Amino acid sequence: MERIEVATRSRTQAIDITGQVQEVVSRSATKSGIVAVFSAHTTAGVTINENADPDVMSDVMEALARLVPRSGPYAHVEGNSDAHAKSGLVGHSVLVPVEDGKLELGTWQGIYFCEFDGPRRRQVVVQVLAAG
Ligand code: ZN
């Protein structure tokens, strides 16, 4: 198991961590298996989406902002309920198959860490599970 450090720079931000996840898989020397990528935070998430056109992830983040407004009415006194709700919508983990030591992502897919209450220093847990 390894932790990827992610330093986010704004309140909401999607960061492509595909390369760092592949590095963990490569260091593990696992040829075939699965990798779990997990965000240990309640105001951030992990997802897979297109990494060819950067407008896609900015559109997704904007769509989430329209879906879950910054201001409530919310009860949570910390004032970041929108971030908690977006975190729940996006989810906290993804699983990606590994074959020949490589992430078996689709041609246009990348793994994204989604910040909803930054800027903060975040940690993403990456666990590689070898098959057989
Ligand atoms: Zn909170």
Side-chain angles (χ1 to χ4, degrees):
M1 194 269 279
E2 287 195 38
R3 285 189 172 82
I4 294 172
E5 299 276 343
V6 182
T8 62
R9 297 182 307 278
S10 53
R11 182 157 197 274
T12 62
Q13 187 182 8
I15 299 175
D16 188 339
I17 58 169
T18 312
Q20 290 154 283
V21 174
Q22 178 60 60
E23 284 170 19
V24 174
V25 170
S26 299
R27 273 196 293 278
S28 78
T30 301
K31 292 298 162 212
S32 179
I34 198 159
V35 61
V37 182
F38 173 75
S39 161
H41 304 285
T42 62
T43 55
V46 173
T47 192
I48 291 175
N49 217 311
E50 176 171 330
N51 66 356
D53 178 359
D55 284 344
V56 171
M57 273 317 289
S58 61
D59 282 349
V60 168
M61 296 297 273
E62 288 297 319
L64 284 167
R66 286 192 299 275
L67 206 58
V68 185
R70 174 87 170 87
S71 53
Y74 299 120
H76 179 45
V77 292
E78 203 182 12
N80 60 355
S81 286
D82 65 316
H84 288 289
K86 290 176 193 167
S87 173
L89 285 171
V90 166
H92 297 90
S93 63
V94 296
L95 292 175
V96 182
V98 172
E99 203 51 59
D100 296 325
K102 301 283 181 211
L103 297 169
E104 279 288 307
L105 287 164
T107 307
W108 311 110
Q109 286 183 317
I111 305 167
Y112 286 89
F113 180 82
C114 298
E115 175 65 81
F116 298 118
D117 195 27
R120 295 189 194 213
R121 297 191 65 81
R122 301 292 204 172
Q123 291 201 337
V124 179
V125 176
V126 180
Q127 176 87 67
V128 188
L129 304 160

